[in-house]
Amino acid sequence: LLPGRETVGSSNMEDDVSLKFRQQLLLIDENLVAEDVAALKFLCTDLLPFRKLESAKSAVDIFQLLIAAEYLNEEDTFLVAELLYRMKCHSLLKKLGYTKEKVQECLPKKGRVSPYRQMLYELSENITNEMLKDIIFLLKNHLPKRQITLSALELLILLEKRGLLTENNVQMLEEVCMNVSPDLLETVNSYKREKVCSIPSFNVLWSDCKHTGEKSSISIYLSTGEKNSGKYKATSPHKLNKFIEAVSFFLSFLQKMTSYKMDRPHRGFCLVINNVNFDRSLQERKGSCKDAGELERVFTWLGLDVRMYTDLTSQEIKNLMRTWQHLQDHKDRDCFICCILSHGESGAIYGKDEELVSIRTIMSHFTAKQCPQLAEKPKLFFIQACQGKEIQCPVYVEADARIPDLSSMQRSVSPFESIPEEADFLLGMATIDGYASFRHIQQGAWYIQALCSKLQLLVPRGEDILSILTEVNEDVSRRVDRLGTKKQMPQPAYTLRRKFIFPIPRDPPPS
């Protein structure tokens, strides 16, 4: 009986901790007004999908999203403490057992809110109603034509949605602040200085400011190893800003030199092959049409010419690849993308006729030799299909694989074996070799939904495709079926020679 009592006692303790944790969050929620909720949403913009944040009506809604995304739990409440600290709600920190000083001490190691987001929030706090009117007037051509009332935070979010404001591009913000308030401009310049200082390749060291009256003298060291080599003194803000502009220009130049060319007349074609129904034993892939629709919306938003294909046999897939391989229109386009949604086995996907087509065969149609119009251009393939045995899943989660026949199982094939042995390819697999990938029959596949969400979130911030796919891995790896027993890990493989960065679309993300 004693072990049983211990188990019951342990369970009760866990329940008590969880209840106390949620009571703390509820108490904080009760002390926050509508403006505070808007501030919470804004500060969490880099952590959570925007469409989910938009639907949040209270602080509790936001806390629930943070818990679901595993940023917050009963053992670690620091993120809430950081958010309250940033919002200057210092009196609420004690409800979590923190003080202002304790939060400040922990921020360097545990802080989640980016310097960019901090800078924007600080700006919003210092923009008066009169300043806001002036800013809206200056930005009139970039705002919706219909008259809408905007707060400072809403204005900044709108500029981000339209790609006019990103972590690496605050030029429009500078120009506006220059016309409206020198104090606001200094906030932006301070952010730029910190950003330049954080670049390891420049080894830029800033000395302590020696204040003399209202002006300060700042020593800048551009070193190549020795601290005293190449010492320059900037004795005025004007010279300092000129230096920052020069560094920003150089960084922009470096990015262009190390990124694929993306300024041709057309972005490129995107094929979406969506196999839902199969001829014999393979199950219907319910929820896949939602994935296909989401891919079409997102890649259209990114400027690609999307072509949709449904329920193709293995031979039709091969014929389609040959057709696109010989298309002359590729020469005026930046890239080529192909998304395939189907059932699969190791290194291969199924046609509607339940015959396998190897992923390597599909991709090899677009090598420089086979498709010279796409030579030295990035070619991206995203595969939503199982790469191994089917796993028994709950009703609302299905695996994209057939029940394995042990007598006919293939040799394991890694994604790197599927890629042609030449440059400029990327293969994004929904799962690692030998494992199933999961698809919700109403909400779509975990991998495709995460891919579309992260593209919409991170392309406007200037992130490259490999950074985005790392975030997709993080997102999918945190997901679990409703019984808490099924997990998934995507796997990208690539021979890209440069960074692949989508130009930031003019329109806001589609969802």
Side-chain angles (χ1 to χ4, degrees), residues 245-261:
E245 286 172 16
V247 171
S248 298
F249 174 80
F250 184 63
L251 287 177
S252 175
F253 173 75
L254 277 181
Q255 179 168 299
K256 287 181 180 178
M257 291 294 291
T258 58
S259 302
Y260 283 103
K261 179 181 170 70

Side-chain angles (χ1 to χ4, degrees), residues 208 273 293 345:
D208 293 331
I273 300 171
E345 295 290 349

Side-chain angles (χ1 to χ4, degrees), residues 164-223:
L164 300 171
L165 178 61
T166 69
E167 184 177 0
N168 297 314
N169 181 13
V170 293
Q171 184 178 349
M172 180 173 285
L173 202 57
E174 282 182 283
E175 291 171 358
V176 168
C177 291
M178 199 178 297
N179 284 283
V180 173
S181 165
D183 291 335
L184 296 182
L185 180 60
E186 177 52 32
T187 300
V188 180
N189 283 339
S190 177
Y191 162 73
K192 287 176 66 178
R193 286 195 292 270
E194 288 179 17
K195 191 168 177 62
V196 169
C197 290
S198 68
I199 302 168
S201 58
F202 279 94
N203 196 11
V204 180
L205 305 173
W206 301 87
S207 73
D208 293 331
C209 297
K210 300 173 183 178
H211 293 279
T212 53
E214 294 182 353
K215 294 185 178 180
S216 62
S217 175
I218 301 173
S219 298
I220 305 166
Y221 301 91
L222 295 178
S223 73

Side-chain angles (χ1 to χ4, degrees), residues 3-32:
R5 287 178 184 172
E6 286 177 6
T7 303
V8 171
S10 175
S11 175
N12 287 340
M13 284 179 64
E14 289 176 6
D15 289 344
D16 289 344
V17 170
S18 180
L19 178 61
K20 183 183 177 184
F21 166 61
R22 292 181 181 275
Q23 284 174 337
Q24 288 172 326
L25 298 181
L26 196 58
L27 280 171
I28 291 168
D29 172 80
E30 290 169 355
N31 284 275
L32 297 176

Side-chain angles (χ1 to χ4, degrees), residues 369-437:
K369 184 177 180 180
Q370 298 297 328
C371 184
Q373 293 82 12
L374 285 173
E376 299 188 3
K377 297 178 183 179
K379 295 157 281 275
L380 281 57
F381 292 77
F382 297 102
I383 310 294
Q384 168 56 44
C386 282
Q387 290 296 288
K389 300 176 183 179
E390 180 177 0
I391 299 174
Q392 184 62 45
C393 303
V395 174
Y396 288 105
V397 179
E398 299 177 350
D400 276 336
R402 67 154 80 227
I403 296 172
D405 178 358
L406 294 178
S407 64
S408 63
M409 279 188 67
Q410 294 179 293
R411 170 183 80 86
S412 177
V413 180
S414 82
F416 288 97
E417 291 179 75
S418 296
I419 297 184
E421 293 174 357
E422 66 166 69
D424 309 312
F425 279 91
L426 179 141
L427 172 60
M429 300 293 294
T431 185
I432 59 177
D433 188 62
Y435 288 84
S437 61

Side-chain angles (χ1 to χ4, degrees), residues 117-127 184 187:
R117 192 64 43 192
Q118 292 174 44
M119 179 270 291
L120 293 184
Y121 183 70
E122 184 182 341
L123 271 184
S124 74
E125 289 288 278
N126 292 321
I127 293 174
L184 296 182
T187 300

